[in-house]
């Protein structure tokens, strides 16, 4: 069990370093030797953890999509109202975006480098995540139709996912600003996100 946890920690560490390098130089600008050096091992030693560089990319992007959806579902389910659910989703997404800037860059720039099966899995997870938001947007605003709800969800993601380019404020200030702006755009009144 301890060996398994250690192996998972090492995989997580490798994925974190890979995300930073991919964000800085692009997927094709990073070699296995570069990745190994960043992790303190030889490039070939990484093959004990991942069969190929594209497997790292696949795991990092599939896992973040799974995490966004799973945590989003949990937080929305615990909410007392559609407004509270949207507030919880905004807060979750802002927190995620502020702590995963490199992954946002990688997702945006290196999407085409994903293997086909991973790309389809990410698309499926992302569609489910969008529909989770749409469900609560439409519950709060029943006069809207689904296409408008999807547009609002995507616009909110665009705002929140601007974090890699938003280094003007401290993290807590940025969280407050992004949360308030996204909540306002979604018509969530009252308390800040």
């Amino acid at each position: 069990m301890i060996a398994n946890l250690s192996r998972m920690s090492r995989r997580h560490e490798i994925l974190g370093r890979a995300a930073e390098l991919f964000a800085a130089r692009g997927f094709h600008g990073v070699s296995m030797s570069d990745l190994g050096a960043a992790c303190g091992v030889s490039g070939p030693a990484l093959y004990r953890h991942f069969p190929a560089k594209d497997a790292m990319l696949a795991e990092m992007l599939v896992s973040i999509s799974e995490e966004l959806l799973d945590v989003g579902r949990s937080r929305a389910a615990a909410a007392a109202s559609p407004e509270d659910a949207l507030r919880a989703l905004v807060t979750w997404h802002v927190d995620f975006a502020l702590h995963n800037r490199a992954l946002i860059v990688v997702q945006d720039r290196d999407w085409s480098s994903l293997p086909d099966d991973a790309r389809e899995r990410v698309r499926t997870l992302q569609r489910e995540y969008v529909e989770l938001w749409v469900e609560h947007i439409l519950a709060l605003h029943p006069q809207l139709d689904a296409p408008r709800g999807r547009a609002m969800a995507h616009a909110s993601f665009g705002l929140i996912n601007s974090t890699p380019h938003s280094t003007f404020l401290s993290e807590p200030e940025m969280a407050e600003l992004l949360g308030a702006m996204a909540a306002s755009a979604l018509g969530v009144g009252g308390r800040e996100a």
Side-chain angles (χ1 to χ4, degrees):
M1 179 72 163
I2 291 174
N4 237 0
L5 288 175
S6 176
R7 185 165 170 78
M8 292 309 292
S9 303
R10 187 65 171 144
R11 284 176 73 83
H12 185 44
E13 178 188 346
I14 292 167
L15 288 174
R17 302 274 171 119
E20 292 168 8
L21 286 174
F22 293 166
R25 296 193 246 168
F27 176 76
H28 294 293
V30 178
S31 69
M32 286 298 273
S33 293
D34 296 332
L35 289 166
C39 296
V41 298
S42 69
L46 292 176
Y47 291 112
R48 282 184 269 161
H49 299 280
F50 297 95
K53 187 172 75 164
D54 65 351
M56 288 182 207
L57 180 66
E59 186 169 325
M60 75 176 60
L61 296 184
V62 168
S63 68
I64 64 165
S65 297
E66 289 171 342
E67 182 180 2
L68 276 168
L69 181 59
D70 291 345
V71 175
R73 281 179 173 157
S74 175
R75 293 194 180 184
S81 68
E83 186 171 356
D84 287 345
L86 281 173
R87 198 177 284 109
L89 288 168
V90 166
T91 300
W92 159 236
H93 199 107
V94 167
D95 182 63
F96 179 88
L98 287 171
H99 292 100
N100 294 282
R101 294 172 193 227
L103 289 171
I104 291 171
V105 171
V106 172
Q107 161 83 29
D108 187 47
R109 188 185 48 222
D110 294 315
W111 172 258
S112 63
S113 298
L114 267 176
D116 291 342
D117 59 333
R119 190 177 311 121
E120 190 52 42
R121 177 73 178 136
V122 171
R123 274 193 187 120
T124 298
L125 291 163
Q126 289 177 343
R127 278 192 291 268
E128 290 178 36
Y129 187 61
V130 169
E131 292 308 311
L132 174 66
W133 282 62
V134 171
E135 173 188 344
H136 296 290
I137 289 170
L138 297 182
L140 182 62
H141 305 289
Q143 74 280 13
L144 300 178
D145 60 12
R148 185 165 297 272
R150 283 185 198 94
M152 290 173 72
H154 281 283
S156 298
F157 300 155
L159 170 71
I160 296 168
N161 289 343
S162 69
T163 56
H165 314 289
S166 306
T167 57
F168 307 108
L169 300 174
S170 69
E171 191 173 294
E173 291 172 311
M174 204 61 208
E176 183 179 340
L177 178 64
L178 288 172
M181 291 177 72
S184 178
L186 292 167
V188 176
R191 302 170 303 182
E192 69 181 50

